[in-house]
Amino acid sequence: MSANYIEVQIFGQVLRLHCPPEQQQHLLSSAERLEERVAVLKEQSGIIQLEKVLAIVALNLNYELELEKQKNENNKNVLEACIHQLDSSLGKLNNLGVIDTNQ
């Protein structure tokens, strides 16, 4: 098998996927976590149809991804505000002659 392909067994099916060698372990870990989430949901909900379980897991994963995107955007905004405040403070200090930017 080519170094750019990996076989992943998921839900009893073998999938041959193109994947750079440096990302193969991450893909295998992701497949394991997906199988775990599906198993937990099947057990908790009693749903046995794989398609329905996969759809619910996909919705949950998408929701979690959107939450993380929102957190990242909030963090970015906080950092930008901090940078702006620092720039403003440094500008004030520079205008007062406290710091010398000519060195």
Side-chain angles (χ1 to χ4, degrees), residues 11-93:
F11 312 118
Q13 303 224 354
V14 176
L15 303 172
R16 186 171 186 242
L17 306 169
H18 177 77
C19 182
E22 65 275 7
Q23 295 178 8
Q24 290 181 1
Q25 189 55 49
H26 294 293
L27 180 60
L28 290 171
S29 297
S30 293
E32 287 177 21
R33 285 193 306 276
L34 179 60
E35 285 222 64
E36 290 169 6
R37 288 183 80 139
V38 168
V40 167
L41 183 63
K42 283 177 84 170
E43 184 179 316
Q44 289 176 346
S45 69
I47 300 172
I48 57 172
Q49 295 169 318
L50 183 59
E51 292 83 11
K52 286 186 179 182
V53 175
L54 286 173
I56 294 168
V57 169
L59 285 170
N60 287 339
L61 288 169
N62 190 62
Y63 175 73
E64 291 170 15
L65 178 61
E66 291 301 320
L67 286 178
E68 290 302 315
K69 284 181 180 179
Q70 186 176 17
K71 286 180 194 176
N72 285 341
E73 185 64 28
N74 291 342
N75 288 341
K76 177 185 167 193
N77 291 338
V78 167
L79 287 172
E80 285 175 348
C82 289
I83 289 169
H84 178 71
Q85 188 175 5
L86 281 170
D87 282 344
S88 176
S89 296
L90 287 172
K92 288 176 186 176
L93 288 172

